[in-house]
Amino acid sequence: MLKILKYSFYDLMRSRWNYVYFVFYFLLGMVLLFLNNDISKAVITLMNIIIVLVPLIGTIFGVMYYYNSKEFTELLLAQPLKRSSIFLGQYLGVALSLSMSLILGLGIPFLFYGLFKSNAIWNFSLLIITGSFLTFIFTALAFNIALSNENKIKGFGYAILVWLLLAIIYDGVFLMSLILFEDYPLDKFSLIGTMLNPIDLSRTLILLKLDISALLGYTGAVFKQFFGTNFGLMVSFIMLTFWVIFPVFRMVYKSKRKDF
Amino acid sequence: MVTIQNLHKKFGQNKVLSGLNLDIKEGGIFAVLGPNGSGKTTLIKAILGMVIPDKGTIHLFEKNIKNQSAYRNNIDYLPQIANFPSNLKVKELIKMIKDLRGRAANDNQLIKQFKLEPYLDKKLGNLSGGTKQKVNIVLTFMFNSPLIILDEPTSGLDPISLLRLKDLIQTEKANGKTILITSHIMSFVEEVSDEIVFLLEGQIYFKGTINELKTKTNQPNFEHAIASILTENHA
């Protein structure tokens, strides 16, 4: 698996897209820091962008890489290699290179701005960690979709749909149901609802760490009580890990039964 | 060496292999023939583990290949369409495959034989179809494996390269290897193969030497013999 990972990673490192992604985050970090003139505020703005953009890039890039490397995959399948190591290696190659672009692209401007001297370092680390988690989650989802669909156009369509569903539609439905059932106690419901969507989970996690939960009123207090504690943080990370592991398992399972 | 029992494979509604039985002994050149869509490539891909059969077993070197991967160390495979990652250089691709197999290879000799030196630093995406096929041949023959599978090896080759390929196949045969070939070019098959396996509607219709086929069909030459099978079964 490590050999495949190595070749996929090199392959991606040579492709232009990874640098575009890196430069984008680099410029974004720079601009936000200079506009906000404050690390904490820059982190909040960044969060709003990362929460939506990282999943989108992960999904699109994952699907694109899978379809583009079809030939490479077929070449590998005829070699004495396990299917699970071929696909895991490729998946990790994509997810790692995307995470690296994110970490370096945002890390470098913040470092130069004096991240280590500020007290926003934990918030910033949390942002980077959830960003990496989201990359791993959505790349895995993308590989799942691409493995299940021979047709490129269909694959891309489903991938965008999954992103749209988790990033936007889920929130809408969630909000509607909160309004619809506002006569009932909804703390547990909203807590569980948040946990089930990795994007919502990441957003809540960061918001609450940023100490602006007072803006959220009573629900915010309930959330703060849960996510603010170490227990809540642990549960959230376990959920995010589960969101990585489940698609990866399905990917390995699917790949073992597929004809090439 | 290769034992296939009751192999079934369906792609959606399309039955490609239906209860195929095949036994191939060690040593010699076997040509797998059949009309378009008769399941030649599916059979080969099933042997390689790229297509997973619905039913039936495949034994290679006396071992069931189901869910195995290490056995492919003993197979050299030439795919039908030489699709390589287009942003890799020829040199890098050869190095990568050698690294993945973790075995010594006689790639230099083959590169010289097929005059590929000027292309080593070129990207695979910029090569012509014939040159790609030559790279394909080098990748296939550089390892010394007992079973060689060639899917349409002649496609895109110029006459000189074709001659070299035939030489190569004969040398490997002399080394006691088992070679499986599929091809649509009957003269090529007639020239190189010891035995033919004729697939029809997902089953083995005929297995034996070319002379046996001629007697069976009462035809004086090989091409007519093949044609007569097809007209008898489809007309």
Side-chain angles (χ1 to χ4, degrees), chain A residues 27-232:
Chain A
L27 290 177
L28 188 71
M30 288 291 226
V31 168
L32 284 181
L33 280 172
F34 279 107
L35 285 182
N36 282 309
N37 245 325
D38 175 61
I39 292 193
S40 279
K41 276 184 192 154
V43 168
I44 297 174
T45 321
L46 259 183
M47 180 212 76
N48 277 317
I49 298 170
I50 282 186
I51 283 310
V52 177
L53 207 64
V54 163
L56 180 66
I57 304 271
T59 326
I60 298 293
F61 214 83
V63 175
M64 211 165 70
Y65 182 81
Y66 178 88
Y67 287 124
N68 261 344
S69 62
K70 228 175 152 48
E71 287 113 35
F72 181 51
T73 312
E74 276 174 22
L75 191 70
L76 293 176
L77 282 165
Q79 304 301 324
L81 300 163
K82 276 192 206 145
R83 280 195 181 188
S84 51
S85 31
I86 294 175
F87 288 98
L88 276 179
Q90 291 191 346
Y91 160 67
L92 287 178
V94 176
L96 278 178
S97 64
L98 283 181
S99 306
M100 248 183 57
S101 297
L102 174 76
I103 292 168
L104 291 180
L106 288 181
I108 292 171
F110 274 77
L111 271 185
F112 277 116
Y113 203 80
L115 177 70
F116 283 122
K117 284 182 216 133
S118 88
N119 47 10
I121 181 152
W122 292 114
N123 295 337
F124 182 74
S125 318
L126 188 68
L127 184 77
I128 293 288
I129 292 170
T130 43
S132 308
F133 258 117
L134 285 175
T135 305
F136 274 83
I137 291 169
F138 280 87
T139 314
L141 288 176
F143 264 69
N144 267 292
I145 292 165
L147 263 171
S148 310
N149 290 287
E150 269 311 293
N151 188 331
K152 268 189 203 184
I153 308 291
K154 254 190 182 171
F156 269 105
Y158 284 132
I160 301 267
L161 212 64
V162 163
W163 170 78
L164 207 64
L165 192 77
L166 288 176
I168 294 159
I169 298 173
Y170 188 91
D171 275 359
V173 174
F174 193 44
L175 205 66
M176 291 292 274
S177 57
L178 287 185
I179 292 170
L180 214 64
F181 299 108
E182 64 182 340
D183 295 340
Y184 301 89
L186 287 169
D187 341 347
K188 280 235 173 70
F189 170 75
S190 51
L191 211 59
I192 292 169
T194 309
M195 292 293 252
L196 288 179
N197 181 344
I199 295 182
D200 274 354
L201 185 60
S202 312
R203 183 186 291 139
T204 323
L205 203 61
I206 298 171
L207 273 182
L208 290 166
K209 271 284 157 196
L210 288 177
D211 269 345
I212 43 174
S213 50
L215 297 175
L216 297 172
Y218 171 68
T219 328
V222 174
F223 271 52
K224 179 85 187 162
Q225 236 174 38
F226 181 75
F227 285 103
T229 59
N230 281 335
F231 172 72

Side-chain angles (χ1 to χ4, degrees), chain B residues 27-33 166 169-170 173 179-183 185-197 206 208-211 213 222 226:
Chain B
I29 301 171
F30 298 83
V32 181
L33 304 178
K166 283 180 193 164
I169 293 175
Q170 292 304 336
K173 183 192 163 191
I179 303 164
L180 271 181
I181 300 178
T182 73
S183 180
I185 300 172
M186 288 305 141
S187 58
F188 176 75
V189 171
E190 194 174 9
E191 197 181 331
V192 299
S193 60
D194 299 325
E195 228 177 90
I196 62 166
V197 175
F206 171 84
T209 61
I210 290 173
N211 280 328
L213 183 72
F222 180 54
I226 295 289

Side-chain angles (χ1 to χ4, degrees), chain B residues 125-137:
Chain B
N126 300 334
L127 298 184
S128 75
T131 318
K132 267 191 204 162
Q133 185 71 353
K134 285 188 210 166
V135 175
N136 206 1
I137 290 171

Side-chain angles (χ1 to χ4, degrees), chain B residues 224-235:
Chain B
H224 282 95
I226 295 289
S228 85
I229 296 180
L230 293 180
T231 40
E232 264 172 44
N233 285 282
H234 287 285

